[in-house]
Amino acid sequence: MTVPTLRSVAALKAAGLVSDALAPKLAAVEAAYAIALPEPLARAINRSNRNDAISRQFVPSPEELDIRAGESGDPIGDARHSPVPGLVHRYPDRVLIKATSTCPVYCRFCFRREMVGPEKGEALTKADLEAIFAYVSAHPEIFEVILTGGDPLMLSAARAREITQRLEAFVHVKVIRWHTRMPVTRPDRITPAYGEALASRKTAVFLAVHANHASEFTADAIAACRLLAGKGIALVSQSVLLRGVNDTVEDLSDLMRAFLSVGIKPYYLHQLDAAPGTSHFRVPVEEGQRLVRALRDTLSGLAVPHYVLDIPGGVSKASLALSDVEQRGDTWAVRGRDGGIYPLMD
C-alpha cells in the first residue's frame, strides 16, 4: 500500500499545516533540511493548536535557521568512530550500522539532520554491507549490533531479513537491535512478513521505538507494536526531551505509560543533541533533572527511563539523573519520594 507523504512546504501549506504568511519564510529551511510527513500522521495534528506536539516535531519552523555556537552537523562524533563507511564503533562491545539515510518522516530536531534525506542516497550498497560484515567478523569482541540510519525499517522486508541472517550467523553477536520510528509514523509497513524478517531463532532481537508524545500511539501504532512483540521481538523505547512537546511531568508520564501499556520498556530519554538549528527544542538539564525525579516519584520503576546525554564528540553516554543518595559528613543518606532525607545504614 502506498501512503501519500507531504514532502514540501507547498504540500504542507495545501494541507493547512503551514500558513500563507509562514510559507515564504520556510524556503531556506526546505533547502537545508529534508521534509516528509505521512498523511495519516498529518491528520493526527491538532490544527487548532500550532504548537501541537506532533506538528512541532515534524512541521518546519523558521527557528531552524538560528544556528548557535557549539552546534554541529555531527554532534555525537559518528565520523571519528567510523572505521568502515556506514559503521560506527564507539563502544568496544557494540557497533552501529547506518543502514539507510532515508526516513518515513524527518524530525525537526534530528541529530543527524545534515546526514539524512532522499538526496543522501537510499541505502548501503551490497559492497558496503560486505565490508561491514567483514569488520564484524574480524572483531569477536562485538556482542551487539545496532541498526539505525535514517530509519533502517525503510529497507524492504527481504533486505532486513538478509541482514538478520548475516548477523545471526556470527557466533559472537548475541544481540541485534533496530532503532526506528516506523511503528508510530508508518505502522502500515509493520506487516507480519516484516516482523518475520526481523525475528531470529538464534539471536536476541530488540527494537527501540522512538516516540516523544503519547498522542503518537494511534490504534494502528499500537497494533504494529503488538505485532512485533508477538514475533518474539523485545521492545524498548527511546525519546528526546523536547521543549513544547514533552517538557511537563504530565506529558512525560503519559508517554512512559503509553510505552509500557503496549509492552515497550522505557529505556532512554535523551537530552537534546546540539544539532544545527535545534536550540528552540532545548530543555535545560536542571529542568530535565527535576522532571525525571518527579517521574521516579510518581511512576512504577518499569516506566522510568534513563535520562542521558551523548557527550559531544562521541566520548560516551552520561547519566544526567539526580541521585537519591547523598553524603553527609562521614555518613550517607537517601531521599524518599516524600522529599524526606533518611540515614542509610551500611
Side-chain angles (χ1 to χ4, degrees):
M1 179 178 68
T2 301
V3 171
T5 296
L6 310 178
R7 299 187 180 276
S8 66
V9 172
L12 294 170
K13 178 182 171 184
L17 298 175
V18 169
S19 68
D20 292 345
L22 183 59
K25 300 176 184 178
L26 296 177
V29 178
E30 183 175 9
Y33 306 116
I35 295 171
L37 180 59
E39 281 195 354
L41 195 58
R43 289 196 295 271
I45 291 173
N46 178 358
R47 285 162 171 76
S48 67
N49 179 3
R50 291 292 181 184
N51 285 321
D52 168 86
I54 295 179
S55 174
R56 186 161 168 77
Q57 291 183 68
F58 305 127
V59 176
S61 163
E63 293 173 294
E64 295 176 49
L65 301 176
D66 179 15
I67 311 299
R68 302 288 182 89
E71 294 180 343
S72 165
D74 184 14
I76 68 168
D78 282 352
R80 66 180 289 197
H81 296 284
S82 186
V84 176
L87 179 139
V88 178
H89 196 173
R90 183 176 290 110
Y91 301 101
D93 71 337
R94 54 203 182 276
V95 295
L96 182 149
I97 299 173
K98 293 192 276 191
T100 177
S101 64
T102 57
C103 298
V105 63
Y106 293 104
C107 304
R108 311 321 303 171
F109 52 87
C110 178
F111 70 98
R112 291 197 179 108
R113 61 193 328 229
E114 295 195 348
M115 308 174 196
V116 299
E119 74 285 353
K120 307 295 183 181
E122 288 297 317
L124 295 175
T125 66
K126 187 173 180 62
D128 292 333
L129 282 170
E130 289 303 324
I132 286 170
F133 293 140
Y135 184 91
V136 173
S137 178
H139 289 78
E141 72 274 19
I142 296 173
F143 175 85
E144 180 176 0
V145 176
I146 302 162
L147 282 300
T148 184
D151 193 313
L153 269 59
M154 292 293 285
L155 299 173
S156 68
R159 194 75 178 274
R161 184 60 191 152
E162 178 186 353
I163 290 172
T164 298
Q165 290 174 333
R166 292 295 297 273
L167 292 175
E168 68 184 5
F170 298 120
V171 295
H172 57 284
V173 173
K174 303 300 184 184
V175 176
I176 302 170
R177 190 194 333 164
W178 300 79
H179 283 196
T180 182
R181 251 191 174 301
M182 201 68 75
V184 296
T185 59
R186 282 291 307 276
D188 58 289
R189 287 180 61 95
I190 307 300
T191 63
Y194 213 108
E196 290 290 343
L198 301 177
S200 173
R201 292 179 176 81
K202 302 177 182 178
T203 308
V205 178
F206 287 76
L207 188 139
V209 179
H210 178 180
N212 297 309
H213 196 270
S215 62
E216 295 174 59
F217 284 93
T218 63
D220 288 341
I222 291 169
C225 293
R226 289 180 173 157
L227 184 154
L228 291 167
K231 298 296 182 181
I233 298 168
L235 304 180
V236 297
S237 80
Q238 58 176 0
S239 305
V240 183
L241 182 59
L242 299 168
R243 174 69 72 207
V245 175
N246 55 21
D247 57 334
T248 69
V249 174
E250 293 75 18
D251 282 329
L252 279 178
S253 297
D254 288 347
L255 173 61
M256 297 308 152
R257 287 181 174 126
F259 280 130
L260 206 55
S261 67
V262 296
I264 299 172
K265 171 66 180 78
Y267 180 37
Y268 276 145
L269 175 65
H270 292 269
Q271 180 68 8
L272 183 72
D273 295 310
T278 61
S279 63
H280 55 293
F281 284 108
R282 190 159 294 117
V283 176
V285 171
E286 295 85 351
E287 187 175 343
Q289 290 174 324
R290 289 194 297 271
L291 289 168
V292 173
R293 172 166 276 184
L295 289 185
R296 294 210 309 265
D297 289 344
T298 57
L299 296 179
S300 156
L302 278 175
V304 179
H306 300 288
Y307 180 35
V308 297
L309 167 73
D310 278 293
I311 299 172
V315 177
S316 68
K317 285 184 173 60
S319 173
L320 296 181
L322 292 169
S323 176
D324 286 331
V325 180
E326 59 182 69
Q327 190 169 14
R328 297 193 164 193
D330 295 330
T331 63
W332 292 88
V334 293
R335 184 191 74 84
R337 71 183 289 255
D338 59 357
I341 302 297
Y342 300 90
L344 177 64
M345 304 299 293
D346 56 12

